[in-house]
Amino acid sequence: TDSLLSGPPGVGAVITIAPHRDIEISRELIAGSVATVARFSAMSGKAVSGARAADTEEIEAVSRSYDMRKHGQGRSTQADGLSDDFIDRFAITGPPDACILRLESLLGLGLSHLSLVPPGPDRAGRDRDESIALLNTEVLPAIRALIAARSAEPHRAHGVGVSQ
């Protein structure tokens, strides 16, 4: 994990991300990871309390159709059933500029640490390679610059790490 962590502990988040210039490819790359997170939100078969009604339906549908033999994979029954809207809310998708804006807004909520999870190895190929390249060359430098600027402010330590 690459990290810029310093200062007192704060609140962090694990975020699934797939920057890509084609939003449809971005969603396809990350659908398996989003399905996994959705399943964790309904381990008992029922969605966690507080979920929106539309999200509850999708979360519970994922739970019912989840095939552990395809855990985390994009080409799976559980991933195929996810709507674009659901994927866009539960992951960061789209062109690098859109990803940067979403990450910036999360940092603006007070998160001090981000752990970014790119598309998994089941999606190996040109599209995944491009997504990871965009993450490394466009998204991370922009977020690191933002973090560096905020870290100069008293009591505002931030960090970002990437699991690959």
Side-chain angles (χ1 to χ4, degrees):
T1 301
D2 179 10
S3 179
L4 296 174
L5 306 179
S6 64
V11 177
V14 176
I15 300 165
T16 312
I17 184 169
H20 200 283
R21 300 203 191 288
D22 182 328
I23 185 89
E24 294 304 320
I25 292 172
S26 178
R27 289 176 181 136
E28 288 171 16
L29 287 170
I30 214 70
S33 295
V34 172
T36 299
V37 172
R39 171 122 189 321
F40 290 146
S41 298
M43 292 297 287
S44 67
K46 291 286 185 191
V48 293
S49 64
R52 294 174 15 171
D55 292 341
T56 296
E57 292 172 23
E58 285 198 62
I59 289 168
E60 291 177 1
V62 165
S63 181
R64 285 190 301 275
S65 68
Y66 207 87
D67 180 353
M68 285 302 293
R69 295 169 297 181
K70 301 265 185 164
H71 177 71
Q73 295 184 19
R75 295 179 180 99
S76 61
T77 305
Q78 56 265 22
D80 291 344
L82 297 174
S83 70
D84 291 347
D85 186 50
F86 188 87
I87 293 170
D88 292 345
R89 277 195 320 284
F90 282 77
I92 296 182
T93 58
D97 289 345
C99 294
I100 292 164
L101 287 174
R102 290 276 311 276
L103 290 168
E104 221 177 311
S105 70
L106 290 172
L107 289 171
L109 292 173
L111 292 178
S112 59
H113 302 81
L114 303 177
S115 178
L116 305 179
V117 182
D122 75 298
R123 298 308 311 239
R126 189 183 75 211
D127 291 332
R128 179 178 182 263
D129 293 346
E130 182 178 337
S131 180
I132 291 174
L134 290 170
L135 180 62
N136 288 322
T137 62
E138 295 188 32
V139 177
L140 286 177
I143 294 305
R144 286 184 173 131
L146 178 66
I147 288 169
R150 289 184 178 191
S151 293
E153 300 172 25
H155 311 294
R156 302 245 358 216
H158 289 80
V160 62
V162 179
S163 303
Q164 295 197 28

